[in-house]
Amino acid sequence: LTSYNKDSMSPSWPLSKCGASHGGLGGWCQATGRNTTLMGPTFDSTEWPVLPGPGGHSDYVNGNNVYYGQRGAGVVRLFIAGDAVMDGSLQAKATAQSNFTGGGAGGSVLLSCHKLTGSGTFSARGADGYVYSPDEGKSSSHHGGAGGGGRIAVHYDTEAQPALLTFTFITSGGKGHCNGLYTGNGKHG
């Protein structure tokens, strides 16, 4: 990898209020149209993901107020020598939207164990892009694209594993906003 996001050490950095990419592409924002080069490319291993999700972009300055893009999600890595019971959740979800920004990308969840049982949730969801509330009456030019989904990988001994797994995996991108419509959505990781 040759270049890294200045905030998250990921090799992708979006521009012009676009959402960040990781496993899935970030969403475009209305100011940029559908130019996918501005979101940054997808990256990281699908089998052994190890990188965090990049933050979304913001280019908004109002007087002395500078609005920075949302942070991307981090990394959850568990290497368990024995069996694992997963009835809760493992999450590397990007943060909620902040003013005038594109959404951060979902991070990485990696679990390796002998046998996995339970009915939990694995999530590496991208964040929603910023949107004004209808009563603010301001320009939609500050809406942001959504963050792309992250990466999830689970490794186990297939001979020891029960036949049916009942887990939920979420790598969806967030919702982007443009002129009050859900556009510029992030893509699945």
Side-chain angles (χ1 to χ4, degrees), residues 7-180:
D7 294 324
S8 71
M9 296 306 295
S10 296
S12 178
W13 183 243
L15 300 173
S16 194
K17 290 189 291 270
C18 288
S21 299
H22 185 183
L25 282 175
W28 50 274
C29 76
Q30 58 90 157
T32 62
R34 296 176 191 256
N35 184 344
T36 58
T37 62
L38 297 178
M39 289 79 122
T42 60
F43 62 94
D44 209 356
S45 170
T46 56
E47 293 185 30
W48 295 96
V50 296
L51 295 172
H57 182 263
S58 177
D59 59 3
Y60 187 72
V61 177
N62 183 4
N64 292 329
N65 297 320
V66 177
Y67 295 88
Y68 295 97
Q70 299 177 48
R71 294 176 186 243
V75 177
V76 176
R77 290 188 292 184
L78 295 173
F79 296 94
I80 301 169
D83 298 343
V85 177
M86 184 21 198
D87 284 324
S89 63
L90 289 177
Q91 300 182 19
K93 300 188 312 184
T95 60
Q97 65 187 13
S98 58
N99 291 343
F100 316 113
T101 67
S108 293
V109 176
L110 173 60
L111 172 64
S112 178
C113 61
H114 178 253
K115 179 173 71 175
L116 179 61
T117 58
S119 59
T121 300
F122 296 84
S123 179
R125 186 182 184 282
D128 293 344
Y130 177 75
V131 64
Y132 278 116
S133 64
D135 60 348
E136 287 185 86
K138 297 181 182 176
S139 166
S140 64
S141 66
H142 300 299
H143 292 335
R151 302 267 192 204
I152 298 173
V154 177
H155 299 271
Y156 50 82
D157 181 344
T158 56
E159 293 180 13
Q161 187 64 37
L164 179 63
L165 293 176
T166 57
F167 296 97
T168 301
F169 296 90
I170 302 168
T171 58
S172 57
K175 292 180 181 176
H177 302 279
C178 173
N179 298 323

